[in-house]
Amino acid sequence: MRPPLNLLLVGGGGREHALAWKLAQSPRLRALFIAPGNAGTEQPAAAVPLINCPVAADDVPGLTALARERAIDLALIGPEVPLALGLADALRAAGVAVFGPAQAAAQIEASKAFAKAFMLRHGLPTARYAVFTDFYPAVGHLLAVDYPVVIKASGLAAGKGVIVPDCADDAEAALRQIMLDRDFGAAGDEVIIEERLTGAEVSLLAFTDGTTVRAMPPAQDHKRLLAGDQGPNTGGMGAYAPAPLAGPEAVADWTRTILQPAVDSLRAEGRPFVGVLYAGLMLTAAGPRLLEFNCRFGDPETQALLPLLETDLVEIADACAHGRLAELDVCWRPGAAACVVLAAAGYPGPYTKGRVITGLDTPLQDAVFFHAGTARAGDQIVTAGGRVLAAAGWGPDLPAALARAYQAVGAVHFEGAQYRADIGRRALANHHPHGEQP
Ligand code: AMP
Ligand code: GLY
């Protein structure tokens, strides 16, 4: 076995608690430092200590200094913002091995204009589009196209930069909002007007060392706040994997035709991509289409994927960071996993904080609580964010996994908690892989 490592995990949401939980199972871990972490990632007294460090996830110099101080061997970067800021480059320059793409490769998520041009250049299937920097030409384009559109701010906008308008007036209002009112700041300097597609959505994530690609089971998330996919968009209210509408053959096919060519083309363009490449796919009647790439693990997909991962995540991250992924088999358990997000009252609008959470120490079977927006207050754990917790469950099939996850939901309490009671339901109903699902 290779020697044990000091790891740094950057981020503090539900995705990062799931990563910390999985990393902590590795015999190769000496210590795990999480910056900034949350109340779930802190276990300083454990045999292998998990230590939260009060450094923000976007503080590149602070994190680089922390990596030196703690003699970090390998860093994993959770969120997109530090990747877009060049944290992976800064850490590599400081001699740290990194699981996460360099700034140049993170452009695949940080600039939708770059991503769309990249897809076009390399023949990757995606919707028709045009890019604008000025309002009036953009409005002119709206009048010229004969198909419904989606309006996208090109830069990072915390998942809020995509508007799916109901009519031409709403589309113009969206352009006004992004280009004139500058609701998303500089993220809206470039705007994409894209053909609106219909179909079910699948998240296909893959580990890559820049050359070799190992796809994960396909996942589906639930972006709307309320049951039946109603209400406002959120960061994600739950997820499940594997998505039954994408069987192993489809995954193999999309890996060969989308993920592998994307990784090969990024390398060929001098932007080798190391980490997790996430393809957001829409399954249209004409075949799969790329809606977006993300340069990192999904949140909350990760909370439903990692319970299925059999292979040591430290081994995978280390292999990717050193270009050795081809030497490693990445294995997944049979069965399914799901997670249900518990959010604070008011989320995704202004929400309450500081509510005491009870029931977190309830013994669970085949389930775990992943903290997201939580903090310690004395000997209590309180809410500290919009998405507070994800209850993740797993089992031999999706109904079993959902039953475990909802059992955990029932065991935990905080005032005003809201969650969706229908996570995974569309996967249990009859599938309409080529039509929008209700
Ligand atoms: P993105 O951040 O690009 O994945 O967009 C967020 C969400 O907007 C997606 O999950 C889709 O539900 C929707 N969306 C994005 N692009 C399109 C499109 N071309 N057609 C229809 N819906 C889209
Ligand atoms: N679950 C969507 C994302 O992580 O971007």
Side-chain angles (χ1 to χ4, degrees):
M1 199 174 75
R2 292 171 197 273
L5 303 172
N6 286 339
L7 255 63
L8 171 64
L9 171 63
V10 176
R15 165 183 53 207
E16 284 76 24
H17 186 194
L19 287 164
W21 171 82
K22 184 66 194 171
L23 293 167
Q25 296 167 17
S26 170
R28 285 202 58 202
L29 193 61
R30 185 185 300 123
L32 175 59
F33 301 91
I34 308 105
N38 59 38
T41 59
E42 202 167 28
Q43 293 164 34
V48 174
L50 272 57
I51 300 166
N52 281 355
C53 304
V55 183
D58 58 0
D59 177 359
V60 173
L63 292 165
T64 311
L66 176 68
R68 282 214 179 87
E69 226 168 83
R70 297 296 196 167
I72 297 299
D73 302 294
L74 173 65
L76 285 87
I77 304 169
E80 63 277 14
V81 168
L83 292 164
L85 289 173
L87 177 60
D89 312 71
L91 289 172
R92 285 189 186 111
V96 179
V98 181
F99 179 83
Q103 186 172 40
Q107 286 296 300
I108 201 79
E109 172 169 3
S111 166
K112 287 186 190 289
F114 171 83
K116 292 292 289 188
F118 176 86
M119 293 173 200
L120 203 64
R121 255 195 319 278
H122 298 291
L124 300 174
T126 191
R128 292 181 278 178
Y129 78 105
V131 182
F132 296 92
T133 50
D134 293 307
F135 178 69
Y136 289 102
V139 172
H141 183 75
L142 278 186
L143 298 173
V145 296
D146 60 355
Y147 46 77
V149 298
V150 177
I151 311 284
K152 302 184 173 186
S154 179
L156 293 179
K160 299 188 187 100
V162 175
I163 299 169
V164 183
D166 285 330
C167 59
D169 282 352
D170 286 2
E172 189 176 326
L175 289 178
R176 193 173 288 280
Q177 203 184 322
I178 300 174
M179 305 183 91
L180 301 181
D181 304 343
R182 300 188 57 79
D183 277 12
F184 305 114
D189 283 350
E190 289 180 298
V191 168
I192 286 129
I193 301 181
E194 189 172 298
E195 178 185 10
R196 179 169 174 179
L197 305 173
T198 53
E201 289 181 47
V202 184
S203 307
L204 183 61
L205 287 68
F207 296 107
T208 180
D209 61 359
T211 303
T212 299
V213 173
R214 299 269 192 253
M216 305 185 202
Q220 284 191 285
D221 72 353
H222 299 61
K223 291 206 168 89
R224 302 290 203 97
L225 180 70
L226 304 173
D229 292 328
Q230 303 295 310
N233 263 318
T234 70
M237 295 299 291
Y240 57 91
L245 85 178
E249 276 172 29
V251 170
D253 192 38
W254 303 335
T255 304
R256 188 175 49 78
T257 57
I258 296 174
L259 290 172
Q260 185 71 57
V263 165
D264 290 342
S265 302
L266 282 163
R267 192 179 63 249
E269 290 190 3
R271 306 167 187 263
F273 188 103
V274 174
V276 169
L277 184 63
Y278 168 143
L281 299 175
M282 188 170 263
L283 309 184
T284 75
R289 296 287 179 270
L290 272 163
L291 298 183
E292 62 168 348
F293 279 119
N294 291 323
C295 65
R296 48 162 178 90
F297 280 101
D299 189 340
E301 288 94 331
T302 303
Q303 294 89 310
L305 283 165
L306 292 184
L308 297 174
L309 179 59
E310 212 163 64
T311 307
D312 183 338
L313 182 56
V314 175
E315 292 289 353
I316 297 173
D318 191 38
C320 287
H322 292 98
R324 290 192 278 99
L325 186 58
E327 298 169 18
L328 197 68
D329 280 329
V330 176
C331 301
W332 300 87
R333 287 189 188 92
C339 73
V340 179
V341 169
L342 291 110
Y347 177 80
Y351 51 81
T352 55
K353 284 188 188 178
R355 298 285 184 268
V356 174
I357 309 171
T358 56
L360 285 168
D361 47 8
T362 311
L364 301 174
Q365 197 187 340
D366 298 335
V368 62
F369 294 117
F370 291 128
H371 292 225
T374 67
R376 245 168 235 285
D379 52 8
Q380 291 184 313
I381 293 181
V382 299
T383 68
R387 287 188 294 171
V388 174
L389 293 168
W394 53 91
D397 52 26
L398 186 56
L402 287 165
R404 292 301 190 199
Y406 278 107
Q407 222 162 31
V409 169
V412 75
H413 178 79
F414 59 90
E415 193 189 308
Q418 42 171 352
Y419 65 89
R420 275 180 63 160
D422 68 337
I423 300 302
R425 194 164 295 167
R426 65 189 163 191
L428 302 178
N430 280 337
H431 271 292
H432 307 284
H434 296 320
E436 185 59 285
Q437 292 171 13

PDB file of all heavy atoms in Angstrom, residues 54-83:
ATOM      1  N   PRO A  54     -10.691  27.352   9.783  1.00  0.00           N
ATOM      2  CA  PRO A  54     -11.494  28.523   9.446  1.00  0.00           C
ATOM      3  C   PRO A  54     -10.891  29.346   8.306  1.00  0.00           C
ATOM      4  O   PRO A  54     -10.517  30.504   8.487  1.00  0.00           O
ATOM      5  CB  PRO A  54     -11.509  29.303  10.764  1.00  0.00           C
ATOM      6  CG  PRO A  54     -10.223  28.930  11.438  1.00  0.00           C
ATOM      7  CD  PRO A  54      -9.900  27.531  11.012  1.00  0.00           C
ATOM      8  N   VAL A  55     -10.821  28.750   7.135  1.00  0.00           N
ATOM      9  CA  VAL A  55     -10.355  29.465   5.949  1.00  0.00           C
ATOM     10  C   VAL A  55     -11.458  29.333   4.899  1.00  0.00           C
ATOM     11  O   VAL A  55     -11.946  28.215   4.646  1.00  0.00           O
ATOM     12  CB  VAL A  55      -9.033  28.869   5.390  1.00  0.00           C
ATOM     13  CG1 VAL A  55      -8.534  29.686   4.209  1.00  0.00           C
ATOM     14  CG2 VAL A  55      -7.976  28.788   6.483  1.00  0.00           C
ATOM     15  N   ALA A  56     -11.868  30.442   4.299  1.00  0.00           N
ATOM     16  CA  ALA A  56     -12.973  30.417   3.332  1.00  0.00           C
ATOM     17  C   ALA A  56     -12.566  29.646   2.082  1.00  0.00           C
ATOM     18  O   ALA A  56     -11.387  29.638   1.691  1.00  0.00           O
ATOM     19  CB  ALA A  56     -13.389  31.838   2.962  1.00  0.00           C
ATOM     20  N   ALA A  57     -13.565  29.031   1.435  1.00  0.00           N
ATOM     21  CA  ALA A  57     -13.299  28.184   0.261  1.00  0.00           C
ATOM     22  C   ALA A  57     -12.777  28.977  -0.929  1.00  0.00           C
ATOM     23  O   ALA A  57     -12.210  28.406  -1.855  1.00  0.00           O
ATOM     24  CB  ALA A  57     -14.561  27.423  -0.134  1.00  0.00           C
ATOM     25  N   ASP A  58     -12.944  30.309  -0.920  1.00  0.00           N
ATOM     26  CA  ASP A  58     -12.455  31.100  -2.060  1.00  0.00           C
ATOM     27  C   ASP A  58     -11.219  31.936  -1.711  1.00  0.00           C
ATOM     28  O   ASP A  58     -10.819  32.805  -2.473  1.00  0.00           O
ATOM     29  CB  ASP A  58     -13.571  32.001  -2.607  1.00  0.00           C
ATOM     30  CG  ASP A  58     -14.123  32.939  -1.548  1.00  0.00           C
ATOM     31  OD1 ASP A  58     -13.637  32.894  -0.396  1.00  0.00           O
ATOM     32  OD2 ASP A  58     -15.039  33.716  -1.873  1.00  0.00           O
ATOM     33  N   ASP A  59     -10.614  31.648  -0.562  1.00  0.00           N
ATOM     34  CA  ASP A  59      -9.419  32.383  -0.120  1.00  0.00           C
ATOM     35  C   ASP A  59      -8.178  31.638  -0.618  1.00  0.00           C
ATOM     36  O   ASP A  59      -7.593  30.816   0.090  1.00  0.00           O
ATOM     37  CB  ASP A  59      -9.440  32.497   1.411  1.00  0.00           C
ATOM     38  CG  ASP A  59      -8.205  33.189   1.982  1.00  0.00           C
ATOM     39  OD1 ASP A  59      -7.303  33.567   1.207  1.00  0.00           O
ATOM     40  OD2 ASP A  59      -8.142  33.333   3.217  1.00  0.00           O
ATOM     41  N   VAL A  60      -7.794  31.925  -1.860  1.00  0.00           N
ATOM     42  CA  VAL A  60      -6.708  31.159  -2.488  1.00  0.00           C
ATOM     43  C   VAL A  60      -5.386  31.292  -1.705  1.00  0.00           C
ATOM     44  O   VAL A  60      -4.765  30.273  -1.377  1.00  0.00           O
ATOM     45  CB  VAL A  60      -6.547  31.548  -3.982  1.00  0.00           C
ATOM     46  CG1 VAL A  60      -5.327  30.882  -4.594  1.00  0.00           C
ATOM     47  CG2 VAL A  60      -7.815  31.174  -4.751  1.00  0.00           C
ATOM     48  N   PRO A  61      -4.924  32.503  -1.361  1.00  0.00           N
ATOM     49  CA  PRO A  61      -3.684  32.585  -0.581  1.00  0.00           C
ATOM     50  C   PRO A  61      -3.809  31.913   0.786  1.00  0.00           C
ATOM     51  O   PRO A  61      -2.867  31.238   1.231  1.00  0.00           O
ATOM     52  CB  PRO A  61      -3.449  34.097  -0.411  1.00  0.00           C
ATOM     53  CG  PRO A  61      -4.357  34.775  -1.380  1.00  0.00           C
ATOM     54  CD  PRO A  61      -5.465  33.849  -1.699  1.00  0.00           C
ATOM     55  N   GLY A  62      -4.957  32.083   1.439  1.00  0.00           N
ATOM     56  CA  GLY A  62      -5.175  31.474   2.765  1.00  0.00           C
ATOM     57  C   GLY A  62      -5.113  29.958   2.693  1.00  0.00           C
ATOM     58  O   GLY A  62      -4.524  29.300   3.564  1.00  0.00           O
ATOM     59  N   LEU A  63      -5.699  29.383   1.657  1.00  0.00           N
ATOM     60  CA  LEU A  63      -5.714  27.922   1.518  1.00  0.00           C
ATOM     61  C   LEU A  63      -4.325  27.404   1.147  1.00  0.00           C
ATOM     62  O   LEU A  63      -3.914  26.325   1.587  1.00  0.00           O
ATOM     63  CB  LEU A  63      -6.754  27.506   0.472  1.00  0.00           C
ATOM     64  CG  LEU A  63      -8.208  27.758   0.898  1.00  0.00           C
ATOM     65  CD1 LEU A  63      -9.158  27.671  -0.300  1.00  0.00           C
ATOM     66  CD2 LEU A  63      -8.638  26.764   1.986  1.00  0.00           C
ATOM     67  N   THR A  64      -3.607  28.169   0.345  1.00  0.00           N
ATOM     68  CA  THR A  64      -2.251  27.760  -0.030  1.00  0.00           C
ATOM     69  C   THR A  64      -1.352  27.766   1.205  1.00  0.00           C
ATOM     70  O   THR A  64      -0.563  26.836   1.418  1.00  0.00           O
ATOM     71  CB  THR A  64      -1.702  28.701  -1.119  1.00  0.00           C
ATOM     72  OG1 THR A  64      -2.690  28.818  -2.151  1.00  0.00           O
ATOM     73  CG2 THR A  64      -0.429  28.180  -1.727  1.00  0.00           C
ATOM     74  N   ALA A  65      -1.521  28.790   2.055  1.00  0.00           N
ATOM     75  CA  ALA A  65      -0.746  28.860   3.299  1.00  0.00           C
ATOM     76  C   ALA A  65      -1.123  27.704   4.226  1.00  0.00           C
ATOM     77  O   ALA A  65      -0.259  27.059   4.832  1.00  0.00           O
ATOM     78  CB  ALA A  65      -0.990  30.205   3.994  1.00  0.00           C
ATOM     79  N   LEU A  66      -2.417  27.408   4.301  1.00  0.00           N
ATOM     80  CA  LEU A  66      -2.889  26.293   5.138  1.00  0.00           C
ATOM     81  C   LEU A  66      -2.275  24.975   4.669  1.00  0.00           C
ATOM     82  O   LEU A  66      -1.847  24.141   5.483  1.00  0.00           O
ATOM     83  CB  LEU A  66      -4.422  26.225   5.074  1.00  0.00           C
ATOM     84  CG  LEU A  66      -5.086  25.064   5.818  1.00  0.00           C
ATOM     85  CD1 LEU A  66      -4.924  25.227   7.327  1.00  0.00           C
ATOM     86  CD2 LEU A  66      -6.571  24.959   5.464  1.00  0.00           C
ATOM     87  N   ALA A  67      -2.218  24.768   3.362  1.00  0.00           N
ATOM     88  CA  ALA A  67      -1.666  23.525   2.811  1.00  0.00           C
ATOM     89  C   ALA A  67      -0.195  23.374   3.201  1.00  0.00           C
ATOM     90  O   ALA A  67       0.265  22.278   3.532  1.00  0.00           O
ATOM     91  CB  ALA A  67      -1.822  23.508   1.295  1.00  0.00           C
ATOM     92  N   ARG A  68       0.546  24.480   3.205  1.00  0.00           N
ATOM     93  CA  ARG A  68       1.964  24.439   3.617  1.00  0.00           C
ATOM     94  C   ARG A  68       2.080  24.120   5.099  1.00  0.00           C
ATOM     95  O   ARG A  68       2.839  23.232   5.498  1.00  0.00           O
ATOM     96  CB  ARG A  68       2.612  25.800   3.340  1.00  0.00           C
ATOM     97  CG  ARG A  68       2.962  26.030   1.899  1.00  0.00           C
ATOM     98  CD  ARG A  68       4.257  26.878   1.798  1.00  0.00           C
ATOM     99  NE  ARG A  68       4.600  27.082   0.400  1.00  0.00           N
ATOM    100  CZ  ARG A  68       4.114  28.099  -0.331  1.00  0.00           C
ATOM    101  NH1 ARG A  68       3.302  28.994   0.209  1.00  0.00           N
ATOM    102  NH2 ARG A  68       4.450  28.209  -1.599  1.00  0.00           N
ATOM    103  N   GLU A  69       1.292  24.852   5.889  1.00  0.00           N
ATOM    104  CA  GLU A  69       1.315  24.717   7.353  1.00  0.00           C
ATOM    105  C   GLU A  69       1.027  23.292   7.796  1.00  0.00           C
ATOM    106  O   GLU A  69       1.635  22.771   8.720  1.00  0.00           O
ATOM    107  CB  GLU A  69       0.174  25.581   7.879  1.00  0.00           C
ATOM    108  CG  GLU A  69       0.440  26.494   9.035  1.00  0.00           C
ATOM    109  CD  GLU A  69      -0.773  27.426   9.134  1.00  0.00           C
ATOM    110  OE1 GLU A  69      -1.782  27.003   9.735  1.00  0.00           O
ATOM    111  OE2 GLU A  69      -0.715  28.535   8.549  1.00  0.00           O
ATOM    112  N   ARG A  70       0.038  22.660   7.138  1.00  0.00           N
ATOM    113  CA  ARG A  70      -0.429  21.333   7.552  1.00  0.00           C
ATOM    114  C   ARG A  70       0.251  20.223   6.772  1.00  0.00           C
ATOM    115  O   ARG A  70      -0.167  19.065   6.852  1.00  0.00           O
ATOM    116  CB  ARG A  70      -1.941  21.227   7.363  1.00  0.00           C
ATOM    117  CG  ARG A  70      -2.735  22.202   8.224  1.00  0.00           C
ATOM    118  CD  ARG A  70      -2.554  21.908   9.707  1.00  0.00           C
ATOM    119  NE  ARG A  70      -3.569  22.573  10.516  1.00  0.00           N
ATOM    120  CZ  ARG A  70      -3.800  22.299  11.790  1.00  0.00           C
ATOM    121  NH1 ARG A  70      -3.081  21.380  12.415  1.00  0.00           N
ATOM    122  NH2 ARG A  70      -4.712  22.949  12.455  1.00  0.00           N
ATOM    123  N   ALA A  71       1.273  20.539   6.006  1.00  0.00           N
ATOM    124  CA  ALA A  71       2.008  19.543   5.213  1.00  0.00           C
ATOM    125  C   ALA A  71       1.054  18.667   4.401  1.00  0.00           C
ATOM    126  O   ALA A  71       1.097  17.436   4.456  1.00  0.00           O
ATOM    127  CB  ALA A  71       2.892  18.685   6.122  1.00  0.00           C
ATOM    128  N   ILE A  72       0.174  19.333   3.649  1.00  0.00           N
ATOM    129  CA  ILE A  72      -0.839  18.617   2.862  1.00  0.00           C
ATOM    130  C   ILE A  72      -0.170  17.915   1.675  1.00  0.00           C
ATOM    131  O   ILE A  72       0.630  18.505   0.946  1.00  0.00           O
ATOM    132  CB  ILE A  72      -1.916  19.606   2.362  1.00  0.00           C
ATOM    133  CG1 ILE A  72      -2.663  20.234   3.540  1.00  0.00           C
ATOM    134  CG2 ILE A  72      -2.864  18.926   1.375  1.00  0.00           C
ATOM    135  CD1 ILE A  72      -3.415  19.270   4.433  1.00  0.00           C
ATOM    136  N   ASP A  73      -0.527  16.628   1.501  1.00  0.00           N
ATOM    137  CA  ASP A  73      -0.022  15.861   0.367  1.00  0.00           C
ATOM    138  C   ASP A  73      -0.956  15.956  -0.835  1.00  0.00           C
ATOM    139  O   ASP A  73      -0.510  15.926  -1.977  1.00  0.00           O
ATOM    140  CB  ASP A  73       0.108  14.376   0.751  1.00  0.00           C
ATOM    141  CG  ASP A  73       1.020  14.169   1.933  1.00  0.00           C
ATOM    142  OD1 ASP A  73       2.231  14.444   1.791  1.00  0.00           O
ATOM    143  OD2 ASP A  73       0.530  13.753   3.015  1.00  0.00           O
ATOM    144  N   LEU A  74      -2.262  16.006  -0.537  1.00  0.00           N
ATOM    145  CA  LEU A  74      -3.259  15.930  -1.615  1.00  0.00           C
ATOM    146  C   LEU A  74      -4.458  16.784  -1.241  1.00  0.00           C
ATOM    147  O   LEU A  74      -4.953  16.688  -0.113  1.00  0.00           O
ATOM    148  CB  LEU A  74      -3.680  14.465  -1.791  1.00  0.00           C
ATOM    149  CG  LEU A  74      -4.821  14.157  -2.749  1.00  0.00           C
ATOM    150  CD1 LEU A  74      -4.434  14.501  -4.190  1.00  0.00           C
ATOM    151  CD2 LEU A  74      -5.202  12.662  -2.669  1.00  0.00           C
ATOM    152  N   ALA A  75      -4.903  17.614  -2.170  1.00  0.00           N
ATOM    153  CA  ALA A  75      -6.070  18.473  -1.926  1.00  0.00           C
ATOM    154  C   ALA A  75      -7.202  18.090  -2.867  1.00  0.00           C
ATOM    155  O   ALA A  75      -6.971  17.790  -4.039  1.00  0.00           O
ATOM    156  CB  ALA A  75      -5.693  19.935  -2.138  1.00  0.00           C
ATOM    157  N   LEU A  76      -8.426  18.097  -2.327  1.00  0.00           N
ATOM    158  CA  LEU A  76      -9.639  17.914  -3.143  1.00  0.00           C
ATOM    159  C   LEU A  76     -10.438  19.203  -3.041  1.00  0.00           C
ATOM    160  O   LEU A  76     -10.680  19.688  -1.928  1.00  0.00           O
ATOM    161  CB  LEU A  76     -10.505  16.771  -2.614  1.00  0.00           C
ATOM    162  CG  LEU A  76     -10.030  15.343  -2.868  1.00  0.00           C
ATOM    163  CD1 LEU A  76      -9.093  14.905  -1.763  1.00  0.00           C
ATOM    164  CD2 LEU A  76     -11.218  14.394  -2.950  1.00  0.00           C
ATOM    165  N   ILE A  77     -10.866  19.718  -4.177  1.00  0.00           N
ATOM    166  CA  ILE A  77     -11.572  20.995  -4.178  1.00  0.00           C
ATOM    167  C   ILE A  77     -13.023  20.750  -4.565  1.00  0.00           C
ATOM    168  O   ILE A  77     -13.297  20.250  -5.659  1.00  0.00           O
ATOM    169  CB  ILE A  77     -10.873  21.993  -5.134  1.00  0.00           C
ATOM    170  CG1 ILE A  77      -9.401  22.138  -4.714  1.00  0.00           C
ATOM    171  CG2 ILE A  77     -11.598  23.345  -5.118  1.00  0.00           C
ATOM    172  CD1 ILE A  77      -8.536  22.880  -5.721  1.00  0.00           C
ATOM    173  N   GLY A  78     -13.954  21.081  -3.656  1.00  0.00           N
ATOM    174  CA  GLY A  78     -15.371  20.800  -3.876  1.00  0.00           C
ATOM    175  C   GLY A  78     -16.063  21.790  -4.798  1.00  0.00           C
ATOM    176  O   GLY A  78     -16.576  21.414  -5.855  1.00  0.00           O
ATOM    177  N   PRO A  79     -16.107  23.077  -4.453  1.00  0.00           N
ATOM    178  CA  PRO A  79     -16.923  24.041  -5.209  1.00  0.00           C
ATOM    179  C   PRO A  79     -16.233  24.589  -6.459  1.00  0.00           C
ATOM    180  O   PRO A  79     -15.009  24.540  -6.596  1.00  0.00           O
ATOM    181  CB  PRO A  79     -17.133  25.187  -4.203  1.00  0.00           C
ATOM    182  CG  PRO A  79     -16.508  24.764  -2.913  1.00  0.00           C
ATOM    183  CD  PRO A  79     -15.554  23.658  -3.219  1.00  0.00           C
ATOM    184  N   GLU A  80     -17.038  25.169  -7.357  1.00  0.00           N
ATOM    185  CA  GLU A  80     -16.516  25.682  -8.617  1.00  0.00           C
ATOM    186  C   GLU A  80     -15.785  27.010  -8.464  1.00  0.00           C
ATOM    187  O   GLU A  80     -14.853  27.300  -9.238  1.00  0.00           O
ATOM    188  CB  GLU A  80     -17.637  25.827  -9.654  1.00  0.00           C
ATOM    189  CG  GLU A  80     -18.763  26.823  -9.325  1.00  0.00           C
ATOM    190  CD  GLU A  80     -19.855  26.271  -8.416  1.00  0.00           C
ATOM    191  OE1 GLU A  80     -19.630  25.189  -7.814  1.00  0.00           O
ATOM    192  OE2 GLU A  80     -20.918  26.904  -8.294  1.00  0.00           O
ATOM    193  N   VAL A  81     -16.193  27.831  -7.478  1.00  0.00           N
ATOM    194  CA  VAL A  81     -15.609  29.179  -7.403  1.00  0.00           C
ATOM    195  C   VAL A  81     -14.090  29.138  -7.192  1.00  0.00           C
ATOM    196  O   VAL A  81     -13.343  29.770  -7.949  1.00  0.00           O
ATOM    197  CB  VAL A  81     -16.344  30.046  -6.358  1.00  0.00           C
ATOM    198  CG1 VAL A  81     -15.577  31.322  -6.070  1.00  0.00           C
ATOM    199  CG2 VAL A  81     -17.759  30.378  -6.862  1.00  0.00           C
ATOM    200  N   PRO A  82     -13.585  28.382  -6.196  1.00  0.00           N
ATOM    201  CA  PRO A  82     -12.119  28.349  -6.058  1.00  0.00           C
ATOM    202  C   PRO A  82     -11.413  27.753  -7.275  1.00  0.00           C
ATOM    203  O   PRO A  82     -10.293  28.171  -7.603  1.00  0.00           O
ATOM    204  CB  PRO A  82     -11.884  27.486  -4.811  1.00  0.00           C
ATOM    205  CG  PRO A  82     -13.188  26.855  -4.484  1.00  0.00           C
ATOM    206  CD  PRO A  82     -14.268  27.677  -5.093  1.00  0.00           C
ATOM    207  N   LEU A  83     -12.064  26.806  -7.956  1.00  0.00           N
ATOM    208  CA  LEU A  83     -11.453  26.235  -9.168  1.00  0.00           C
ATOM    209  C   LEU A  83     -11.337  27.311 -10.239  1.00  0.00           C
ATOM    210  O   LEU A  83     -10.305  27.438 -10.899  1.00  0.00           O
ATOM    211  CB  LEU A  83     -12.286  25.057  -9.666  1.00  0.00           C
ATOM    212  CG  LEU A  83     -12.256  23.836  -8.741  1.00  0.00           C
ATOM    213  CD1 LEU A  83     -13.378  22.863  -9.080  1.00  0.00           C
ATOM    214  CD2 LEU A  83     -10.900  23.130  -8.821  1.00  0.00           C
TER     215      LEU A  83
END
